[in-house]
Amino acid sequence: MRTIRALSAALLMLGLAAAPAAADASPSPSPSGAGAAPSQAGTSFRTATEIEQGQRATASGSTGDYMYWSFAADAGQRPTVHASVKLPQRHAAQTWQIDVYDGLRRRQSCQYGAQTRTADEGAASVGLTCVLRTVRAWSEPWANDPLPGTYYVRLTAVGLRASDLGLPAGAEVWTDAKDVGGAAAVDGSLSQPLVPGIAVKSPQQDDGSGDDTKKSAVLSGIEPDGGWSSNWWSDRWVWTGIGAVLAALAGIGGYTLTRGSDRPSRVPPGA
């Protein structure tokens, strides 16, 4: 019984010590982006405006244009993209849509949310939301699962009438993410996050001087709050350790109950 009480105390200490570690293992988005919020949008993937999670970016454009932003999402996060479009004073019914692409420029489907909405004639604004699937640390090459890296947001109006093309419109875009934790952990990880320029290097320069150098590409300047996770730690390790301790306690308790408390007599029978 002393052993059982000692292991119970050790289990309690393990749970108290592991809880803060599990909470700090995966980075969580900051409530508000650092620095000034961007006030313009890009016109392509290459010129997409970088925004941080929690940061509200604004832009002015025209109906019919493509507006691009990019943000970073790490393994274990479930990103959500929000967009609010301020429509011109006079317009016909307009349909606006947001599309999200990962670092390989694969279009990611929305798990739920109003990805496409139609504003009635004369409406002042329209709101859009896209909740992505949970970002996985690793995936099969043939799968279309979200992976850690840069994500691109494209906002545009579709199926416009000719009379509505080129009208002024304003947009506000922001992103946030829910930390799912060990429930989305997988056995594997990418060697590098999928950010622009991560795998691009110029070929070796040989000008005859024997000085062969490589120039690395300029990487994206955004990353999750706290940096990219190492992907080897998740709270599954905590629950695995707790399960192992509980199994040991159950084994010791079962052995104690089945053995009994009485010792066998050393006096020979009939003595």
Side-chain angles (χ1 to χ4, degrees), residues 19 23 28-29 41 43 51 88 96 136 145-146 154 160 172 186 189-190 223 226 228 231 268-269 271:
S28 57
T43 57
I51 59 175
W96 286 81
R136 296 165 59 91
D145 296 324
R154 185 177 71 182
L160 287 173
E172 184 179 22
V186 295
S189 62
L190 298 180
E223 62 180 20
W228 299 102
N231 295 328

Coordinates of all heavy atoms in Angstrom, one line a residue, residues 19 23 28-29 41 43 51 88 96 136 145-146 154 160 172 186 189-190 223 226 228 231 268-269 271:
A19 N 1.0 19.6 -17.5 CA -0.1 20.4 -18.0 C 0.5 21.7 -18.6 O 0.2 22.2 -19.7 CB -1.1 20.7 -16.9
A23 N 0.5 23.0 -22.6 CA -0.1 24.3 -23.0 C 0.9 25.1 -23.8 O 0.5 25.8 -24.7 CB -0.6 25.1 -21.8
S28 N 0.3 29.6 -30.1 CA -1.1 30.1 -30.3 C -1.0 31.4 -30.9 O -0.1 32.2 -30.6 CB -1.8 30.1 -28.9 OG -1.2 30.9 -28.0
P29 N -2.0 31.8 -31.7 CA -2.0 33.1 -32.3 C -2.1 34.2 -31.3 O -2.8 34.1 -30.3 CB -3.2 33.0 -33.3 CG -4.1 32.0 -32.7 CD -3.2 31.0 -32.1
A41 N -3.6 45.4 -50.8 CA -3.6 44.0 -51.1 C -2.7 43.7 -52.4 O -2.6 44.6 -53.2 CB -5.0 43.5 -51.4
T43 N -1.8 41.7 -56.0 CA -2.6 41.4 -57.2 C -2.3 40.0 -57.7 O -2.8 39.6 -58.8 CB -2.3 42.4 -58.3 OG1 -0.9 42.4 -58.6 CG2 -2.7 43.8 -57.8
I51 N 0.1 39.2 -43.8 CA -0.6 39.6 -42.6 C -0.3 38.5 -41.5 O -0.1 37.4 -41.8 CB -2.1 39.8 -42.8 CG1 -2.7 38.5 -43.3 CG2 -2.3 40.9 -43.8 CD1 -4.2 38.6 -43.4
P88 N -20.0 49.4 -53.3 CA -20.3 50.8 -53.8 C -21.8 51.1 -53.5 O -22.6 50.3 -53.3 CB -20.1 50.7 -55.3 CG -20.1 49.2 -55.7 CD -19.6 48.5 -54.4
W96 N -19.6 37.6 -54.0 CA -18.2 37.7 -53.7 C -17.7 36.3 -53.1 O -18.5 35.6 -52.5 CB -18.0 38.8 -52.6 CG -18.0 40.2 -53.2 CD1 -19.2 40.9 -53.5 CD2 -16.9 41.0 -53.6 NE1 -18.8 42.1 -54.1 CE2 -17.5 42.2 -54.1 CE3 -15.6 40.8 -53.5 CZ2 -16.7 43.2 -54.6 CZ3 -14.8 41.8 -54.0 CH2 -15.3 43.0 -54.5
R136 N -2.0 19.7 -40.8 CA -1.3 18.5 -40.3 C 0.2 18.7 -40.5 O 0.7 19.4 -41.4 CB -1.7 17.3 -41.2 CG -3.2 16.9 -41.0 CD -3.7 16.0 -42.1 NE -2.9 14.8 -42.2 CZ -3.3 13.7 -41.5 NH1 -4.3 13.7 -40.8 NH2 -2.5 12.6 -41.6
D145 N -4.1 17.4 -47.9 CA -4.3 17.9 -46.6 C -3.5 19.2 -46.4 O -2.4 19.4 -47.0 CB -3.8 16.8 -45.6 CG -4.6 15.6 -45.6 OD1 -5.8 15.6 -45.8 OD2 -4.0 14.5 -45.5
P146 N -4.0 20.1 -45.6 CA -3.3 21.3 -45.3 C -2.0 21.0 -44.5 O -2.0 20.2 -43.6 CB -4.3 22.1 -44.4 CG -5.6 21.5 -44.6 CD -5.4 20.1 -44.9
R154 N -7.5 34.7 -51.5 CA -7.8 35.5 -52.7 C -9.3 35.9 -52.6 O -10.2 35.1 -52.4 CB -7.6 34.7 -54.0 CG -7.9 35.5 -55.2 CD -7.6 34.6 -56.5 NE -8.6 33.6 -56.7 CZ -8.6 32.7 -57.7 NH1 -7.6 32.7 -58.5 NH2 -9.5 31.8 -57.8
L160 N -19.9 39.1 -62.4 CA -20.4 40.5 -62.4 C -21.0 40.9 -63.7 O -20.6 40.4 -64.8 CB -19.2 41.5 -62.1 CG -18.7 41.5 -60.7 CD1 -17.4 42.3 -60.6 CD2 -19.7 41.9 -59.7
E172 N -11.8 44.3 -46.0 CA -11.1 44.1 -44.7 C -11.0 42.6 -44.5 O -12.0 41.9 -44.5 CB -11.8 44.7 -43.5 CG -11.1 44.6 -42.2 CD -11.8 45.3 -41.1 OE1 -13.1 45.5 -41.2 OE2 -11.2 45.7 -40.1
V186 N 0.3 13.7 -35.9 CA 0.5 12.5 -36.8 C 2.0 12.1 -36.6 O 2.8 12.8 -36.1 CB 0.3 12.9 -38.3 CG1 -1.2 13.2 -38.5 CG2 1.1 14.1 -38.7
S189 N 6.7 14.6 -39.9 CA 6.7 16.0 -40.1 C 7.5 16.4 -41.3 O 8.3 15.6 -41.8 CB 7.4 16.6 -38.8 OG 8.7 16.2 -38.7
L190 N 7.2 17.6 -41.8 CA 8.0 18.1 -42.9 C 9.4 18.6 -42.4 O 9.5 19.0 -41.3 CB 7.2 19.3 -43.6 CG 5.8 19.0 -44.2 CD1 5.3 20.2 -44.8 CD2 5.9 17.9 -45.2
E223 N 5.6 34.3 -39.8 CA 5.6 32.9 -39.2 C 4.7 33.0 -38.0 O 4.3 34.1 -37.5 CB 7.0 32.5 -38.8 CG 7.7 33.4 -37.7 CD 9.1 33.0 -37.3 OE1 9.7 32.2 -38.1 OE2 9.5 33.4 -36.3
G226 N 5.6 32.8 -31.9 CA 6.5 31.8 -31.2 C 7.3 31.0 -32.2 O 8.1 30.2 -31.7
W228 N 7.9 28.4 -35.8 CA 7.4 27.2 -36.2 C 7.7 26.1 -35.2 O 8.8 26.0 -34.6 CB 8.1 26.8 -37.6 CG 7.8 27.7 -38.7 CD1 8.7 28.7 -39.2 CD2 6.6 27.9 -39.4 NE1 8.1 29.4 -40.2 CE2 6.8 28.9 -40.4 CE3 5.4 27.2 -39.4 CZ2 5.8 29.3 -41.3 CZ3 4.4 27.6 -40.3 CH2 4.6 28.7 -41.2
N231 N 7.3 20.0 -34.2 CA 6.4 18.9 -34.6 C 6.6 17.6 -34.0 O 5.9 16.6 -34.3 CB 6.5 18.7 -36.2 CG 6.0 19.9 -36.9 OD1 5.1 20.6 -36.5 ND2 6.6 20.2 -38.1
P268 N 5.2 -26.7 10.3 CA 4.8 -27.9 9.6 C 3.4 -28.4 10.1 O 3.1 -28.3 11.3 CB 5.9 -28.9 9.8 CG 7.0 -28.1 10.3 CD 6.5 -26.9 11.0
P269 N 2.6 -29.0 9.2 CA 1.3 -29.5 9.7 C 1.5 -30.7 10.7 O 2.4 -31.5 10.5 CB 0.7 -30.0 8.4 CG 1.4 -29.3 7.3 CD 2.8 -29.1 7.8
A271 N 2.6 -30.5 13.7 CA 3.7 -30.3 14.7 C 3.1 -29.9 16.0 O 2.0 -29.2 16.0 CB 4.6 -29.2 14.2

